[in-house]
Amino acid sequence: MKSLFAIILMLASFNIAAEEDLVLKEISEQYVKLVLAMGIHDPAYVDAYYGPKEWAEEAKEKKIPLKNIILASRFLIDNLEGAYAEDELINLRLKYLDVQLSALHSKAIMLKNEIRLDFDQESKVLYNTQAPTHELTDFDNTLAKLDKMLPGSQPLSEKANAFKAQFVIPKDKLKSVFDIAIAECRKRTQAFVDLLPEENFKLEFVSDKPWSGYNWYKGNSFSLIQVKTELPIYISRAVDLGCHEGYPGHHTYNALLEANLVKKRGWIEFSVYPLFSAQSVIAEGSANYGIEMAFPGNEKIEFEKQALFPVAGIDPELAEQFAAFTQLTAELSYAGNEIARRYLNKKIERQEAVELLQKYTLVSPEKASQRVDFYDTYGAYVINYNWGKELVKQWVESGKDQSTEGRWKRFSQLLSSPRLPSTLK
């Protein structure tokens, strides 16, 4: 990494109009190197990187101290202040760099234990947004509806898990079901999005992870998609994960950013994806909203009923009831945020968090424990799934053309541009 003195000389007179290419190239390179340096301190920090290999090797060799990362990122942020360009896309790029560097700066301070942030503070400094708050009692009406829907007198969480047990994909059917689901997700996405000719992925089933599914983007339009199999996988997760991790989710998003911003424009900052940053709001939000884009209305349950239930050996006659159950449980999504907020703010202990997750999100004790593991590993990251989806949904559905083609066009625009929560206008 260049010395701070060298950077100071280059950025002494920061004029975007006159020195746009030179200055932004330098800031972008320093940003990428700082993200890689952060990855040495936190193995989960760098979600994807496909830039120059020597930069990654340099980060491993130098092991830049956190205090230097804090100083360097603060310097770059200060030099971006007030930068403006007439071109809208360049302006989005400037804002992107500013927000991403600010998140990096804050995360470095957090790792150095210089500040203690609560759930909402962490959301703001890392993710450029704050999810709405709820009382847990706000979800009682939905729980009552579910209790009425499901037969039996035992506690609702037990009834719900007994009901869901009918829809578990047998392990020997997982690959077949996922292959069919992902192929359909890709087909539906390709009808509206220009996927790259060489794009591809590899699917793996894994264990001992704090998440249920993950996309590891490797560059050159290739991803490794992993699905955790230790806990039961329900039939609805095949399409959900196929869209979320693949099409039009993470795999598609990363491939389009690489093609349109890194390769076409040379914007090297998009060759690295720091997980604990505002980019994750768009990544997770678009991946979840992408399920609705690919399978609008009742199309998801109809596809599952016709194509997935028979392969999994699940009675298709149960599909409508399962869809109604799934629609209601989706209303409990923000209950998980509230439990995470209380747990991470040290208002409740782990066991109480596990019990509340069982009660308010109707998951099994094992799944509830896994979710708390996720909170321990990723902190306030949980807001990116539901609140991120809401932000993306609002932006896409605020477009003038709300035809199917119009919404896909706006959605594709989001996947191919440097937008963050504060720039979703």
Side-chain angles (χ1 to χ4, degrees):
M1 176 178 282
K2 293 184 179 181
S3 68
L4 283 178
F5 179 71
I7 301 174
I8 290 171
L9 290 178
M10 179 162 284
L11 302 180
S13 57
F14 187 18
N15 184 320
I16 287 297
E19 304 175 10
E20 174 186 309
D21 291 341
L22 179 63
V23 173
L24 285 183
K25 182 176 184 296
E26 182 61 28
I27 291 179
S28 298
E29 289 185 6
Q30 297 304 322
Y31 162 75
V32 173
K33 291 179 179 181
L34 286 174
V35 172
L36 295 174
M38 279 286 289
I40 304 303
H41 297 277
D42 182 352
Y45 191 76
V46 180
D47 186 85
Y49 176 64
Y50 45 90
K53 291 182 179 179
E54 58 269 25
W55 291 3
E57 293 169 358
E58 180 184 10
K60 292 178 182 178
E61 291 173 3
K62 291 192 173 181
K63 298 181 180 178
I64 300 172
L66 283 171
K67 64 179 182 179
N68 289 10
I69 296 174
I70 293 169
L71 179 62
S73 57
R74 180 72 263 169
F75 177 79
L76 293 174
I77 293 166
D78 290 343
N79 277 276
L80 274 170
E81 186 175 358
Y84 174 78
E86 294 294 335
D87 183 274
E88 180 187 6
L89 199 60
I90 299 297
N91 224 25
L92 286 173
R93 183 189 186 191
L94 290 169
K95 184 64 176 177
Y96 176 91
L97 282 166
D98 179 52
V99 170
Q100 292 292 94
L101 279 164
S102 295
L104 184 151
H105 179 76
S106 296
K107 184 64 175 178
I109 294 175
M110 292 167 65
L111 287 177
K112 201 170 181 294
N113 293 317
E114 292 188 3
I115 55 172
R116 169 84 171 88
L117 301 180
D118 66 21
F119 185 89
D120 291 321
Q121 290 170 335
E122 181 179 323
S123 300
K124 287 179 181 178
V125 300
L126 297 186
Y127 305 117
N128 192 224
T129 189
Q130 180 180 330
T133 59
H134 300 270
E135 296 296 331
L136 288 177
T137 52
D138 294 342
F139 305 98
D140 286 346
N141 186 48
T142 299
L143 292 176
K145 291 179 182 178
L146 285 160
D147 195 32
K148 185 177 181 180
M149 172 189 293
L150 301 176
S153 58
Q154 63 264 54
L156 177 56
S157 62
E158 293 181 18
K159 292 199 296 181
N161 282 287
F163 174 76
K164 289 189 292 183
Q166 303 173 90
F167 304 96
V168 174
I169 306 171
K171 286 196 174 183
D172 63 339
K173 304 291 187 182
L174 278 173
K175 187 177 187 309
S176 298
V177 171
F178 270 83
D179 284 346
I180 295 169
I182 294 174
E184 184 68 14
C185 296
R186 186 181 188 279
K187 174 185 172 183
R188 288 167 175 256
T189 298
Q190 193 172 33
F192 299 98
V193 178
D194 292 329
L195 298 177
L196 301 175
E198 69 275 20
E199 66 83 17
N200 206 347
F201 68 92
K202 179 181 178 182
L203 178 65
E204 286 185 351
F205 296 99
V206 299
S207 59
D208 194 27
K209 304 293 181 182
W211 36 257
S212 59
Y214 214 106
N215 176 288
W216 303 98
Y217 188 69
K218 303 299 184 178
N220 292 317
S221 305
F222 181 80
S223 290
L224 171 63
I225 297 176
Q226 294 182 322
V227 179
K228 180 176 177 176
T229 60
E230 285 171 302
L231 298 179
I233 299 177
Y234 303 106
I235 193 70
S236 60
R237 290 293 285 161
V239 166
D240 287 355
L241 284 171
C243 285
H244 184 99
E245 307 297 348
Y247 309 92
H250 294 323
H251 172 68
T252 305
Y253 173 62
N254 283 301
L256 289 177
L257 286 181
E258 180 184 17
N260 291 294
L261 301 184
V262 179
K263 291 186 175 179
K264 286 184 181 179
R265 294 179 173 270
W267 293 1
I268 194 65
E269 65 268 31
F270 290 94
S271 67
V272 70
Y273 171 16
L275 190 69
F276 303 106
S277 71
Q279 186 178 357
S280 286
V281 182
I282 305 302
E284 302 293 1
S286 62
N288 271 356
Y289 183 63
I291 302 169
E292 294 182 18
M293 290 292 296
F295 294 85
N298 295 323
E299 292 185 23
K300 179 174 182 285
I301 189 61
E302 288 301 319
F303 169 74
E304 292 169 342
K305 180 179 179 180
Q306 298 298 324
L308 301 185
F309 275 59
V311 175
I314 300 171
D315 185 1
E317 295 299 318
L318 298 173
E320 303 302 327
Q321 187 180 8
F322 185 57
F325 173 83
T326 301
Q327 184 175 1
L328 276 175
T329 53
E331 297 178 9
L332 302 173
S333 171
Y334 280 97
N337 287 23
E338 296 310 316
I339 296 165
R341 180 182 280 108
R342 293 184 183 189
Y343 174 69
L344 293 170
N345 288 349
K346 301 189 180 301
K347 302 294 184 182
I348 58 175
E349 298 295 328
R350 179 186 176 91
Q351 185 55 38
E352 186 174 357
V354 169
E355 293 170 358
L356 286 173
L357 283 167
Q358 292 175 73
K359 177 179 179 180
Y360 284 100
T361 67
L362 304 182
V363 295
S364 67
E366 295 79 11
K367 183 65 175 179
S369 181
Q370 182 197 65
R371 286 193 180 175
V372 178
D373 288 343
F374 187 94
Y375 302 158
D376 285 332
T377 304
Y378 298 106
Y381 192 91
V382 292
I383 72 165
N384 297 326
Y385 297 102
N386 44 26
W387 179 233
K389 175 185 174 181
E390 185 61 29
L391 291 174
V392 169
K393 178 183 177 72
Q394 290 173 7
W395 189 81
V396 171
E397 297 182 7
S398 66
K400 293 182 180 180
D401 183 358
Q402 284 301 300
S403 65
T404 299
E405 292 77 10
R407 289 173 64 195
W408 270 103
K409 183 177 180 180
R410 192 162 170 84
F411 184 71
S412 298
Q413 180 185 354
L414 177 66
L415 298 184
S416 304
S417 59
R419 294 182 186 274
L420 298 172
S422 58
T423 59
L424 286 181
K425 299 177 182 177

